[in-house]
Coordinates of all heavy atoms in Angstrom, one line a residue:
M1 N 174.3 112.5 113.6 CA 173.6 113.0 112.4 C 172.1 113.2 112.7 O 171.5 112.5 113.4 CB 173.8 112.0 111.3 CG 175.2 112.2 110.6 SD 175.3 111.1 109.2 CE 176.0 109.7 110.0
S2 N 171.6 114.3 112.0 CA 170.2 114.6 112.3 C 169.2 113.6 111.7 O 168.1 113.5 112.2 CB 169.9 116.0 111.8 OG 170.0 116.0 110.3
G3 N 169.6 112.9 110.6 CA 168.7 112.0 110.0 C 168.5 110.7 110.7 O 167.6 109.9 110.5
D4 N 169.3 110.5 111.7 CA 169.2 109.2 112.4 C 167.9 108.9 113.1 O 167.4 107.8 113.2 CB 170.3 109.1 113.5 CG 171.7 108.9 112.8 OD1 171.7 108.6 111.6 OD2 172.7 109.0 113.5
L5 N 167.3 110.0 113.7 CA 166.1 109.8 114.4 C 164.8 110.0 113.6 O 163.7 110.0 114.1 CB 166.1 110.8 115.6 CG 167.1 110.5 116.7 CD1 167.1 111.5 117.8 CD2 166.7 109.1 117.4
K6 N 165.0 110.3 112.3 CA 163.8 110.6 111.4 C 162.8 109.5 111.5 O 161.6 109.7 111.7 CB 164.3 110.8 110.0 CG 163.2 111.2 109.0 CD 163.8 111.5 107.6 CE 162.8 111.1 106.6 NZ 163.5 110.9 105.3
W7 N 163.2 108.2 111.3 CA 162.3 107.1 111.2 C 161.7 106.8 112.6 O 160.6 106.3 112.7 CB 162.9 105.9 110.6 CG 163.0 106.1 109.1 CD1 164.1 106.4 108.4 CD2 161.9 106.1 108.2 NE1 163.8 106.6 107.0 CE2 162.5 106.4 106.9 CE3 160.6 105.9 108.3 CZ2 161.7 106.5 105.8 CZ3 159.8 106.0 107.2 CH2 160.3 106.3 105.9
N8 N 162.5 107.0 113.6 CA 162.0 106.9 115.0 C 160.8 107.8 115.2 O 159.8 107.4 115.8 CB 163.1 107.2 116.0 CG 164.0 106.0 116.2 OD1 163.9 105.0 115.5 ND2 164.9 106.1 117.2
K9 N 161.0 109.0 114.7 CA 159.9 110.0 114.9 C 158.7 109.6 114.2 O 157.5 109.7 114.7 CB 160.4 111.4 114.4 CG 161.4 112.1 115.4 CD 161.9 113.4 114.8 CE 163.0 113.9 115.6 NZ 163.7 115.1 114.9
I10 N 158.9 109.2 112.9 CA 157.7 108.8 112.1 C 157.0 107.6 112.7 O 155.8 107.6 112.9 CB 158.2 108.4 110.7 CG1 158.6 109.7 109.9 CG2 157.0 107.7 109.9 CD1 159.3 109.5 108.6
M11 N 157.8 106.6 113.1 CA 157.2 105.4 113.8 C 156.5 105.8 115.1 O 155.4 105.3 115.4 CB 158.2 104.3 114.0 CG 158.7 103.7 112.7 SD 157.4 103.0 111.8 CE 158.2 102.6 110.2
G12 N 157.2 106.7 115.8 CA 156.6 107.1 117.1 C 155.3 107.8 116.9 O 154.3 107.6 117.6
A13 N 155.2 108.6 115.8 CA 153.9 109.3 115.5 C 152.8 108.3 115.2 O 151.7 108.4 115.6 CB 154.2 110.3 114.4
C14 N 153.2 107.3 114.4 CA 152.2 106.3 114.0 C 151.7 105.5 115.2 O 150.5 105.3 115.4 CB 152.8 105.3 113.0 SG 153.1 106.0 111.3
L15 N 152.6 105.1 116.0 CA 152.3 104.4 117.3 C 151.4 105.2 118.2 O 150.4 104.8 118.7 CB 153.5 103.9 118.0 CG 154.1 102.6 117.5 CD1 155.5 102.3 118.1 CD2 153.2 101.4 117.7
G16 N 151.8 106.5 118.3 CA 151.1 107.4 119.2 C 149.6 107.6 118.6 O 148.7 107.5 119.4
T17 N 149.5 107.7 117.3 CA 148.2 107.8 116.7 C 147.3 106.6 117.0 O 146.2 106.6 117.4 CB 148.3 108.1 115.2 OG1 149.1 109.2 115.0 CG2 146.9 108.3 114.6
A18 N 147.9 105.4 116.7 CA 147.2 104.1 116.9 C 146.8 104.0 118.4 O 145.7 103.6 118.7 CB 148.1 103.0 116.5
F19 N 147.7 104.4 119.3 CA 147.4 104.3 120.7 C 146.2 105.2 121.1 O 145.3 104.8 121.8 CB 148.7 104.6 121.5 CG 148.5 104.5 123.0 CD1 148.3 103.3 123.6 CD2 148.4 105.6 123.8 CE1 148.2 103.1 125.0 CE2 148.2 105.5 125.2 CZ 148.1 104.3 125.8
A20 N 146.3 106.4 120.5 CA 145.2 107.4 120.8 C 143.9 106.9 120.3 O 142.9 107.0 121.0 CB 145.6 108.7 120.2
I21 N 143.9 106.2 119.1 CA 142.6 105.7 118.6 C 142.1 104.6 119.5 O 140.9 104.5 119.9 CB 142.8 105.1 117.2 CG1 143.0 106.3 116.2 CG2 141.7 104.3 116.7 CD1 143.5 105.9 114.8
L22 N 143.0 103.7 120.0 CA 142.6 102.6 120.9 C 142.0 103.2 122.2 O 141.0 102.7 122.7 CB 143.8 101.7 121.2 CG 144.1 100.7 120.1 CD1 145.4 100.0 120.5 CD2 143.0 99.7 119.9
V23 N 142.7 104.2 122.7 CA 142.2 104.9 124.0 C 140.8 105.4 123.8 O 139.9 105.2 124.6 CB 143.2 105.9 124.5 CG1 142.5 106.8 125.6 CG2 144.4 105.3 125.0
V24 N 140.6 106.1 122.6 CA 139.3 106.7 122.4 C 138.2 105.6 122.2 O 137.1 105.7 122.8 CB 139.3 107.6 121.1 CG1 137.9 108.0 120.6 CG2 140.1 108.8 121.4
Q25 N 138.6 104.5 121.5 CA 137.6 103.4 121.4 C 137.2 102.8 122.7 O 136.1 102.6 123.0 CB 138.3 102.3 120.6 CG 138.1 102.5 119.1 CD 138.7 101.3 118.3 OE1 139.5 100.6 118.8 NE2 138.3 101.1 117.1
Q26 N 138.2 102.6 123.6 CA 138.0 102.0 124.9 C 137.1 102.9 125.8 O 136.1 102.5 126.4 CB 139.3 101.7 125.6 CG 140.1 100.6 124.9 CD 139.3 99.3 124.8 OE1 138.7 98.8 125.8 NE2 139.3 98.6 123.7
V27 N 137.5 104.2 125.8 CA 136.8 105.1 126.6 C 135.3 105.3 126.1 O 134.4 105.2 126.9 CB 137.5 106.5 126.6 CG1 136.6 107.6 127.3 CG2 138.8 106.4 127.4
S28 N 135.1 105.4 124.8 CA 133.8 105.6 124.3 C 132.9 104.3 124.5 O 131.7 104.4 124.8 CB 133.8 106.0 122.8 OG 134.4 105.0 122.0
S29 N 133.5 103.1 124.4 CA 132.7 101.9 124.6 C 132.4 101.8 126.1 O 131.4 101.1 126.4 CB 133.4 100.7 124.1 OG 134.6 100.4 124.8
A30 N 133.2 102.4 126.9 CA 132.9 102.3 128.4 C 131.8 103.3 128.7 O 130.9 103.1 129.6 CB 134.1 102.6 129.2
V31 N 131.7 104.4 128.0 CA 130.7 105.5 128.3 C 129.4 105.1 127.6 O 128.3 105.2 128.2 CB 131.2 106.8 127.7 CG1 130.1 107.9 127.8 CG2 132.4 107.3 128.5
Y32 N 129.4 104.7 126.3 CA 128.2 104.4 125.6 C 128.0 102.9 125.5 O 128.8 102.2 124.8 CB 128.2 105.0 124.2 CG 128.4 106.5 124.2 CD1 129.7 107.1 123.9 CD2 127.4 107.4 124.5 CE1 129.8 108.4 123.9 CE2 127.5 108.7 124.6 CZ 128.8 109.3 124.3 OH 129.0 110.6 124.3
H33 N 127.0 102.4 126.1 CA 126.7 101.0 126.0 C 125.7 100.7 124.9 O 124.6 101.3 124.8 CB 126.1 100.4 127.3 CG 127.1 100.5 128.4 ND1 128.1 99.7 128.6 CD2 127.2 101.5 129.4 CE1 128.8 100.0 129.7 NE2 128.3 101.1 130.2
T34 N 126.0 99.8 123.9 CA 125.1 99.5 122.9 C 124.6 98.1 123.2 O 125.4 97.2 123.4 CB 125.7 99.5 121.5 OG1 126.9 98.9 121.5 CG2 125.9 101.0 121.1
K35 N 123.3 97.9 123.2 CA 122.7 96.6 123.4 C 122.0 96.1 122.2 O 121.3 96.8 121.5 CB 121.6 96.7 124.5 CG 121.8 95.7 125.6 CD 120.9 95.9 126.8 CE 119.4 95.9 126.5 NZ 118.6 96.2 127.6
A36 N 122.3 94.9 121.8 CA 121.7 94.3 120.6 C 120.2 94.1 120.9 O 119.9 93.7 122.0 CB 122.4 93.0 120.2
P37 N 119.3 94.4 119.9 CA 117.9 94.3 120.1 C 117.6 92.8 120.3 O 118.2 91.9 119.7 CB 117.2 94.8 118.9 CG 118.3 94.8 117.8 CD 119.6 95.0 118.6
E38 N 116.5 92.5 121.1 CA 116.1 91.1 121.4 C 115.7 90.5 120.1 O 115.9 89.3 119.8 CB 115.1 91.1 122.4 CG 115.6 91.3 123.9 CD 114.5 91.6 124.9 OE1 113.4 91.2 124.6 OE2 114.9 92.2 125.9
K39 N 114.9 91.2 119.3 CA 114.4 90.7 118.0 C 114.9 91.6 116.9 O 114.7 92.8 116.9 CB 112.9 90.7 118.0 CG 112.3 89.4 117.6 CD 110.8 89.4 117.9 CE 110.0 89.3 116.6 NZ 108.6 89.5 116.7
M40 N 115.6 91.0 116.0 CA 116.1 91.8 114.9 C 115.0 92.1 113.9 O 114.0 91.4 113.8 CB 117.2 91.0 114.1 CG 118.5 90.8 115.0 SD 119.1 92.4 115.6 CE 120.8 92.3 115.0
G41 N 115.2 93.2 113.1 CA 114.2 93.6 112.1 C 113.3 94.7 112.7 O 113.3 95.0 113.8
Y42 N 112.4 95.2 111.8 CA 111.5 96.2 112.1 C 110.1 95.7 111.8 O 109.8 95.3 110.7 CB 111.8 97.5 111.3 CG 110.9 98.6 111.7 CD1 111.2 99.4 112.8 CD2 109.8 99.0 110.9 CE1 110.4 100.5 113.1 CE2 109.0 100.1 111.2 CZ 109.3 100.8 112.4 OH 108.5 101.9 112.7
F43 N 109.2 95.7 112.8 CA 107.9 95.2 112.6 C 107.0 96.2 111.9 O 106.8 97.3 112.3 CB 107.2 94.8 113.9 CG 105.8 94.3 113.8 CD1 105.6 93.1 113.2 CD2 104.8 95.0 114.3 CE1 104.3 92.6 113.1 CE2 103.5 94.6 114.2 CZ 103.2 93.3 113.6
V44 N 106.4 95.8 110.8 CA 105.5 96.6 110.0 C 104.1 96.1 110.3 O 103.8 94.9 110.0 CB 105.8 96.6 108.5 CG1 104.7 97.5 107.8 CG2 107.2 97.1 108.3
D45 N 103.2 96.9 110.9 CA 101.9 96.5 111.2 C 100.9 96.6 110.0 O 100.1 97.5 109.9 CB 101.3 97.4 112.4 CG 100.1 96.8 113.0 OD1 99.7 95.6 112.6 OD2 99.4 97.5 113.8
A46 N 101.1 95.7 109.1 CA 100.2 95.7 107.9 C 99.2 94.6 108.0 O 99.5 93.6 108.6 CB 101.1 95.5 106.6
P47 N 98.0 94.9 107.4 CA 97.0 93.8 107.5 C 97.5 92.6 106.7 O 98.1 92.6 105.7 CB 95.8 94.4 106.8 CG 96.3 95.6 106.0 CD 97.6 96.1 106.7
D48 N 97.2 91.4 107.3 CA 97.6 90.2 106.8 C 96.7 89.8 105.6 O 95.5 89.7 105.7 CB 97.5 89.1 107.8 CG 98.1 87.8 107.4 OD1 98.7 87.8 106.3 OD2 98.1 86.9 108.2
E49 N 97.3 89.7 104.4 CA 96.5 89.4 103.2 C 95.8 88.1 103.3 O 94.7 87.9 102.8 CB 97.4 89.5 101.9 CG 97.6 90.9 101.5 CD 98.5 90.9 100.3 OE1 98.5 90.1 99.4 OE2 99.4 91.9 100.3
A50 N 96.4 87.1 103.9 CA 95.8 85.8 104.0 C 94.5 85.8 104.9 O 93.6 85.0 104.8 CB 96.8 84.8 104.6
A51 N 94.4 86.9 105.8 CA 93.3 87.0 106.7 C 92.1 87.7 106.1 O 91.4 88.4 106.8 CB 93.7 87.7 108.0
G52 N 92.0 87.5 104.8 CA 90.7 88.0 104.1 C 90.7 89.5 103.9 O 89.6 90.1 104.0
A53 N 91.8 90.2 103.6 CA 91.8 91.6 103.3 C 91.1 91.8 102.0 O 91.1 91.0 101.1 CB 93.2 92.2 103.3
A54 N 90.5 93.0 101.9 CA 89.7 93.3 100.7 C 90.5 93.2 99.4 O 91.6 93.8 99.3 CB 89.1 94.7 100.8
E55 N 90.1 92.4 98.5 CA 90.8 92.2 97.2 C 90.5 93.4 96.3 O 89.4 93.8 96.2 CB 90.4 90.9 96.6 CG 90.8 89.7 97.3 CD 92.1 89.1 96.8 OE1 92.3 89.2 95.5 OE2 92.8 88.5 97.5
V56 N 91.6 93.9 95.6 CA 91.4 94.9 94.6 C 91.1 94.3 93.3 O 92.0 93.4 92.8 CB 92.6 95.9 94.5 CG1 92.4 96.9 93.4 CG2 92.9 96.5 95.9
V57 N 90.0 94.6 92.7 CA 89.6 93.9 91.4 C 90.2 94.8 90.2 O 89.9 95.9 90.1 CB 88.1 93.8 91.3 CG1 87.8 93.0 90.0 CG2 87.5 93.0 92.5
L58 N 91.0 94.2 89.4 CA 91.5 94.8 88.2 C 91.1 94.1 87.0 O 91.1 92.9 87.0 CB 93.1 94.9 88.3 CG 93.6 95.8 89.4 CD1 95.1 95.6 89.5 CD2 93.2 97.3 89.2
P59 N 90.8 94.7 85.9 CA 90.8 96.2 85.7 C 89.6 96.8 86.4 O 88.6 96.1 86.7 CB 90.6 96.3 84.2 CG 90.0 95.1 83.7 CD 90.4 94.0 84.6
I60 N 89.7 98.1 86.7 CA 88.7 98.9 87.4 C 87.4 98.9 86.6 O 87.4 99.0 85.3 CB 89.1 100.3 87.6 CG1 90.3 100.3 88.6 CG2 88.0 101.1 88.2 CD1 91.1 101.6 88.6
D61 N 86.2 98.7 87.2 CA 85.0 98.8 86.5 C 84.5 100.2 86.4 O 84.0 100.8 87.3 CB 83.9 98.0 87.3 CG 82.5 98.0 86.6 OD1 82.5 98.5 85.5 OD2 81.6 97.5 87.3
W62 N 84.9 100.8 85.2 CA 84.6 102.3 85.0 C 83.2 102.6 85.1 O 82.8 103.7 85.5 CB 85.2 102.7 83.7 CG 86.7 102.7 83.7 CD1 87.5 101.9 83.0 CD2 87.6 103.5 84.5 NE1 88.8 102.1 83.3 CE2 88.9 103.1 84.2 CE3 87.4 104.5 85.4 CZ2 90.0 103.7 84.8 CZ3 88.5 105.1 86.0 CH2 89.8 104.7 85.7
G63 N 82.3 101.7 84.7 CA 80.8 101.9 84.7 C 80.3 102.2 86.1 O 79.4 103.0 86.3
T64 N 81.0 101.7 87.2 CA 80.5 102.0 88.5 C 81.4 103.2 89.1 O 80.9 103.9 90.0 CB 80.6 100.8 89.5 OG1 81.9 100.2 89.4 CG2 79.6 99.8 89.1
V65 N 82.6 103.3 88.7 CA 83.5 104.3 89.3 C 83.2 105.7 88.8 O 83.1 106.6 89.5 CB 85.0 103.9 89.0 CG1 85.9 105.1 89.4 CG2 85.4 102.7 89.7
L66 N 83.0 105.8 87.4 CA 82.8 107.2 86.8 C 81.6 107.9 87.3 O 81.7 109.1 87.6 CB 82.8 107.1 85.3 CG 84.2 106.9 84.7 CD1 84.1 106.9 83.1 CD2 85.1 108.0 85.1
P67 N 80.4 107.3 87.5 CA 79.2 108.1 88.0 C 79.5 108.7 89.3 O 78.8 109.7 89.7 CB 78.1 107.0 88.0 CG 78.5 106.0 87.1 CD 80.0 105.9 87.2
T68 N 80.4 108.1 90.2 CA 80.6 108.7 91.5 C 81.8 109.6 91.5 O 82.2 110.2 92.6 CB 80.8 107.6 92.5 OG1 81.9 106.8 92.1 CG2 79.6 106.7 92.6
A69 N 82.5 109.8 90.3 CA 83.7 110.6 90.3 C 83.3 112.1 90.6 O 82.3 112.6 90.2 CB 84.3 110.5 88.9
D70 N 84.3 112.8 91.2 CA 84.0 114.2 91.6 C 85.0 115.1 90.8 O 86.2 115.1 91.1 CB 84.3 114.4 93.1 CG 84.0 115.8 93.6 OD1 83.7 116.6 92.7 OD2 84.0 115.9 94.8
V71 N 84.5 115.7 89.7 CA 85.3 116.5 88.9 C 86.0 117.7 89.6 O 87.2 117.9 89.4 CB 84.5 117.1 87.7 CG1 85.3 118.0 86.8 CG2 84.0 116.0 86.8
A72 N 85.3 118.3 90.5 CA 85.9 119.4 91.3 C 87.1 119.0 92.1 O 88.1 119.6 92.2 CB 84.8 120.1 92.2
A73 N 86.9 117.8 92.7 CA 88.0 117.2 93.5 C 89.3 117.0 92.6 O 90.4 117.2 93.0 CB 87.6 116.0 94.2
G74 N 89.0 116.5 91.4 CA 90.1 116.2 90.5 C 90.8 117.5 90.0 O 92.0 117.6 90.0
Q75 N 90.0 118.6 89.8 CA 90.5 119.8 89.4 C 91.4 120.4 90.6 O 92.4 121.0 90.3 CB 89.4 120.8 89.0 CG 88.9 120.6 87.6 CD 87.6 121.4 87.3 OE1 86.9 121.9 88.2 NE2 87.4 121.6 86.0
A76 N 90.9 120.2 91.8 CA 91.6 120.7 93.0 C 92.9 119.9 93.1 O 94.0 120.5 93.4 CB 90.8 120.5 94.2
A77 N 92.9 118.6 92.8 CA 94.1 117.8 92.9 C 95.1 118.1 91.9 O 96.3 118.1 92.1 CB 93.7 116.3 92.9
F78 N 94.6 118.5 90.7 CA 95.5 118.8 89.5 C 96.1 120.2 89.7 O 97.1 120.5 89.0 CB 94.7 118.8 88.2 CG 95.6 118.7 87.0 CD1 96.3 117.6 86.7 CD2 95.8 119.9 86.2 CE1 97.1 117.5 85.6 CE2 96.7 119.8 85.1 CZ 97.3 118.7 84.8
A79 N 95.6 121.0 90.7 CA 96.2 122.4 90.8 C 97.7 122.3 91.1 O 98.4 123.2 90.6 CB 95.5 123.0 92.0
R80 N 98.2 121.3 91.8 CA 99.6 121.2 92.1 C 100.4 120.7 90.9 O 101.6 120.9 90.8 CB 99.9 120.4 93.3 CG 99.4 118.9 93.1 CD 99.2 118.3 94.5 NE 98.2 117.3 94.4 CZ 98.4 116.0 94.4 NH1 99.6 115.5 94.5 NH2 97.4 115.1 94.4
C81 N 99.7 120.1 89.9 CA 100.4 119.6 88.7 C 100.6 120.8 87.7 O 101.5 120.7 86.9 CB 99.5 118.6 88.0 SG 98.8 117.4 89.1
V82 N 99.8 121.8 87.8 CA 99.9 123.0 86.9 C 101.2 123.7 87.0 O 101.6 124.4 86.1 CB 98.7 123.9 87.2 CG1 98.8 125.2 86.4 CG2 97.4 123.2 86.9
A83 N 101.9 123.5 88.2 CA 103.2 124.1 88.3 C 104.2 123.6 87.2 O 105.1 124.4 86.9 CB 103.8 123.7 89.7
C84 N 104.0 122.4 86.7 CA 104.9 121.9 85.7 C 104.2 121.6 84.4 O 104.9 121.4 83.4 CB 105.6 120.6 86.3 SG 106.5 120.9 87.8
H85 N 102.9 121.4 84.4 CA 102.2 120.9 83.2 C 101.1 121.9 82.8 O 100.5 122.6 83.6 CB 101.5 119.6 83.5 CG 102.4 118.4 83.8 ND1 103.1 117.8 82.9 CD2 102.7 117.8 85.0 CE1 103.8 116.8 83.4 NE2 103.6 116.8 84.7
T86 N 100.9 122.0 81.4 CA 99.8 122.7 80.9 C 98.9 121.6 80.2 O 99.4 120.5 79.9 CB 100.2 123.7 79.8 OG1 101.0 123.0 78.8 CG2 101.1 124.8 80.4
V87 N 97.6 121.9 80.1 CA 96.7 120.9 79.6 C 95.9 121.4 78.3 O 95.2 120.6 77.7 CB 95.6 120.5 80.6 CG1 96.2 119.5 81.6 CG2 95.0 121.6 81.3
N88 N 96.1 122.7 77.9 CA 95.5 123.2 76.7 C 96.2 122.6 75.5 O 97.3 122.3 75.5 CB 95.5 124.7 76.7 CG 96.9 125.3 77.0 OD1 97.6 124.7 77.7 ND2 97.2 126.4 76.4
A89 N 95.4 122.5 74.4 CA 95.9 122.0 73.1 C 97.1 122.8 72.7 O 97.0 124.1 72.6 CB 94.8 122.0 72.0
G90 N 98.2 122.2 72.4 CA 99.4 122.9 71.9 C 100.0 123.7 73.0 O 100.8 124.6 72.7
G91 N 99.7 123.5 74.2 CA 100.3 124.3 75.3 C 101.8 124.1 75.5 O 102.3 123.1 75.0
A92 N 102.3 125.0 76.2 CA 103.8 125.0 76.3 C 104.3 123.9 77.2 O 103.5 123.4 78.1 CB 104.2 126.4 76.9
T93 N 105.5 123.5 76.9 CA 106.1 122.5 77.8 C 106.9 123.2 78.9 O 107.8 124.0 78.6 CB 107.1 121.6 77.0 OG1 106.3 120.8 76.0 CG2 107.8 120.6 77.9
G94 N 106.5 123.0 80.1 CA 107.2 123.6 81.2 C 108.2 122.6 81.7 O 109.0 122.0 80.9
T95 N 108.3 122.5 83.0 CA 109.2 121.5 83.6 C 108.7 120.1 83.1 O 109.5 119.2 82.8 CB 109.1 121.5 85.1 OG1 109.4 122.9 85.5 CG2 110.1 120.6 85.8
G96 N 107.4 119.9 83.1 CA 106.9 118.6 82.5 C 106.2 118.9 81.2 O 105.9 120.0 80.8
P97 N 105.9 117.8 80.4 CA 105.3 118.0 79.1 C 103.9 118.4 79.1 O 103.2 118.3 80.1 CB 105.5 116.6 78.5 CG 105.5 115.7 79.6 CD 106.2 116.4 80.7
N98 N 103.4 119.0 78.0 CA 102.0 119.4 77.9 C 101.2 118.1 78.0 O 101.5 117.1 77.4 CB 101.8 120.1 76.5 CG 100.3 120.3 76.3 OD1 99.7 119.6 75.5 ND2 99.7 121.3 77.0
L99 N 100.1 118.1 78.8 CA 99.3 116.9 79.0 C 97.9 116.9 78.3 O 97.0 116.2 78.6 CB 99.0 116.7 80.5 CG 100.3 116.4 81.4 CD1 99.9 116.2 82.8 CD2 101.0 115.1 80.9
H100 N 97.8 117.7 77.2 CA 96.5 117.8 76.5 C 96.2 116.4 76.0 O 97.0 115.7 75.3 CB 96.6 118.7 75.3 CG 95.3 118.9 74.5 ND1 94.2 119.5 75.0 CD2 95.0 118.4 73.3 CE1 93.3 119.4 74.1 NE2 93.7 118.7 73.1
G101 N 95.0 115.9 76.3 CA 94.5 114.6 75.8 C 95.0 113.4 76.6 O 94.6 112.3 76.3
V102 N 95.8 113.6 77.6 CA 96.3 112.5 78.4 C 95.2 112.1 79.4 O 94.8 113.0 80.1 CB 97.6 112.9 79.1 CG1 98.1 111.7 80.0 CG2 98.7 113.2 78.1
Ligands
HEC1 C1 107.8 119.3 89.6 C2 107.3 119.2 88.3 C3 106.1 118.3 88.1 C4 104.9 118.2 88.8 C5 104.5 119.0 90.0 C6 104.1 117.2 88.1 N1 104.8 116.7 87.0 FE1 104.1 115.3 85.7 N2 105.9 115.4 84.8 C7 107.0 116.2 85.1 C8 108.1 115.9 84.2 C9 109.4 116.5 84.2 C10 107.6 114.8 83.3 C11 108.4 114.2 82.2 C12 109.1 112.9 82.8 C13 109.8 112.1 81.8 O1 109.5 112.3 80.6 O2 110.6 111.3 82.2 C14 106.2 114.6 83.7 C15 105.4 113.6 83.1 C16 104.1 113.4 83.4 C17 103.2 112.6 82.6 C18 103.6 111.8 81.4 C19 103.4 112.6 80.2 C20 103.8 111.9 78.9 O3 103.3 112.3 77.8 O4 104.7 111.0 79.0 C21 102.0 112.6 83.2 C22 100.8 111.9 82.7 C23 102.1 113.5 84.3 N3 103.4 114.0 84.4 C24 101.1 113.8 85.2 C25 101.2 114.6 86.3 C26 100.2 114.8 87.3 C27 98.8 114.2 87.2 C28 100.7 115.7 88.2 C29 100.0 116.2 89.5 C30 99.5 115.2 90.4 C31 102.0 116.0 87.8 N4 102.3 115.3 86.6 C32 102.9 116.9 88.5 C33 107.0 117.1 86.1 C34 106.0 117.4 87.0

């Protein structure tokens, strides 16, 4: 009967697939060697806060900051914001909301 070998074929296909996967694993691990790093993790070269890094004083002292502020630099920086925001009173809402008075 033709159905007799049906399960043999299915099992054979499964075994063949599993064998092929094992062969690929063995061959690839023989070709590509992976070495565990000596020290795990990624070193970030950030200044040590305990070693006397400059402290940021909050809140900002506007009395000393504002006289040195550069309006032209601010306008230049805001140029990229104009793509989404308007600043005129009652201005249209684009991608971002109108920022009049913000
Ligand atoms: C790609 C578009 C886009 C750009 C560019 C953009 N924004 Fe926005 N902005 C938005 C959107 C959208 C919102 C609303 C976000 C929300 O309500 O969750 C928003 C919200 C804001 C708000 C809050 C407004 C409110 O009333 O809550 C401020 C302030 C703001 N943006 C400032 C800026 C500044 C300053 C820049 C430039 C440095 C900038 N945005 C650039 C899209 C943009």
Side-chain angles (χ1 to χ4, degrees):
M1 280 185 267
S2 62
D4 285 350
L5 290 175
K6 183 179 147 200
W7 286 105
N8 277 8
K9 287 174 186 169
I10 291 171
M11 290 304 169
C14 290
L15 278 172
T17 305
F19 183 72
I21 289 170
L22 282 173
V23 167
V24 168
Q25 273 183 341
Q26 293 300 314
V27 168
S28 62
S29 66
V31 171
Y32 302 102
H33 296 281
T34 48
K35 228 171 63 185
E38 282 163 26
K39 229 170 113 188
M40 292 305 235
Y42 184 80
F43 178 68
V44 178
D45 192 12
D48 192 1
E49 278 176 40
E55 292 262 330
V56 178
V57 183
L58 292 174
I60 296 165
D61 181 6
W62 292 111
T64 53
V65 171
L66 282 184
T68 60
D70 186 349
V71 175
Q75 284 172 337
F78 195 76
R80 62 202 148 104
C81 317
V82 174
C84 302
H85 293 288
T86 55
V87 282
N88 51 325
T93 294
T95 305
N98 172 254
L99 293 180
H100 180 73
V102 176

